[in-house]
């Protein structure tokens, strides 16, 4: 679920400066700028945050020793060429595109974006967000749905691929030797261990 803030004069889009003012006033909020509207994102559900963190941790644990780039979580903001400021749940940027980290929104297109469906999220809105990244140069976008235990992998100009339990995800265009067992993403159930 999101809330959009627009300019009272509907003909005038909000700007990055407007985004900066709102972000300064409410630093704890996750805020994006999309098509001239400031979007306030609802907090993630516990399970979706855990699944996103697990994906990011598995990727980061493979990427970092090889010094391939940077893996970030849901608060990292990307300043995109179309004027939007977006924050995917997980992102990867190749080392050569961002050799040094930045305290400001990163002015770079991530090579991989991952969105994890929370209970109040619309899958179609998440697909549109991923497609926005893909249209600006992102190589791969992934939508993870913990409810169905499925992943959709999207690439520019290609049909989406679906993966579920028992499948292995590979992304050879970005990580030639990396793989991920889909079943390893889901939140473990500890209830049988509790007396």
């Amino acid at each position: 679920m999101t809330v959009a803030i627009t300019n009272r004069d509907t003909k005038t889009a909000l700007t990055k400066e407007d985004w900066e003012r709102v972000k300064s006033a409410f630093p704890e909020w996750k805020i994006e700028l999309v098509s001239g509207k400031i979007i306030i994102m609802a907090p993630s559900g516990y399970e979706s945050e855990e699944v996103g963190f697990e994906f990011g941790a598995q990727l980061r644990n493979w990427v970092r020793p090889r010094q391939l780039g940077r893996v970030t979580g849901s608060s990292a903001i990307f300043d995109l060429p179309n004027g939007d400021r977006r924050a995917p749940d997980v992102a990867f940027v190749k080392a050569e595109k961002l050799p040094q980290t930045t305290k400001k929104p990163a002015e770079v297109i991530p090579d991989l974006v991952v969105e994890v469906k929370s209970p109040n999220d619309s899958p179609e809105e998440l697909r549109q967000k991923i497609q926005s990244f893909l249209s600006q140069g992102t190589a791969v976008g992934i939508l993870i749905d913990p409810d169905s235990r499925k992943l959709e992998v999207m690439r520019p100009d290609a049909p989406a691929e679906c993966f579920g339990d028992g499948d292995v995800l590979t992304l050879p265009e970005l990580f030639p030797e990396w793989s991920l067992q889909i079943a390893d993403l889901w939140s473990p159930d500890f209830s049988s261990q509790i007396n």
Side-chain angles (χ1 to χ4, degrees):
M1 181 177 194
T2 60
V3 175
I5 300 173
T6 59
N7 195 325
R8 288 181 189 199
D9 172 8
T10 57
K11 295 178 183 175
T12 306
L14 295 174
T15 65
K16 292 177 184 177
E17 291 76 23
D18 295 319
W19 181 91
E20 294 284 351
R21 282 193 292 279
V22 173
K23 188 68 179 161
S24 293
F26 304 98
E28 68 281 1
W29 291 4
K30 183 176 173 183
I31 300 171
E32 295 183 337
L33 178 64
V34 182
S35 301
K37 297 177 185 170
I38 291 177
I39 308 294
I40 301 170
M41 310 298 289
S44 297
Y46 191 93
E47 180 184 37
S48 57
E49 187 67 21
E50 185 177 9
V51 169
F53 188 83
E54 182 63 31
F55 186 98
Q58 292 214 21
L59 183 60
R60 182 232 179 247
N61 288 342
W62 192 86
V63 164
R64 187 145 188 183
R66 292 162 180 81
Q67 298 183 349
L68 298 176
R70 302 181 187 284
V71 177
T72 56
S74 63
S75 294
I77 296 285
F78 290 89
D79 199 348
L80 302 173
N82 69 354
D84 289 353
R85 285 195 167 165
R86 305 297 307 253
D89 291 329
V90 178
F92 166 77
V93 178
K94 291 179 181 177
E96 61 267 19
K97 289 171 70 175
L98 193 61
Q100 292 185 330
T101 196
T102 176
K103 291 181 170 58
K104 297 179 180 182
E107 294 181 2
V108 64
I109 302 291
D111 298 286
L112 168 70
V113 296
V114 179
E115 287 294 325
V116 182
K117 184 187 172 301
S118 287
N120 294 323
D121 284 337
S122 156
E124 192 50 43
E125 286 180 6
L126 295 176
R127 286 184 192 100
Q128 289 173 5
K129 182 175 180 179
I130 291 168
Q131 288 298 333
S132 174
F133 276 101
L134 294 173
S135 71
Q136 295 180 77
T138 294
V140 180
I142 299 174
L143 172 58
I144 302 175
D145 185 348
D147 294 334
S148 66
R149 297 174 66 106
K150 300 227 181 274
L151 272 73
E152 289 179 42
V153 178
M154 295 167 250
R155 295 174 172 88
D157 304 319
E161 295 178 84
C162 292
F163 296 87
D165 287 348
D167 293 331
V168 176
L169 175 66
T170 61
L171 301 172
E173 65 269 68
L174 295 175
F175 319 110
E177 299 172 14
W178 180 74
S179 64
L180 172 71
Q181 296 283 336
I182 303 303
D184 290 345
L185 285 177
W186 315 125
S187 302
D189 182 352
F190 301 123
S191 58
S192 64
Q193 298 174 12
I194 299 171
N195 295 330

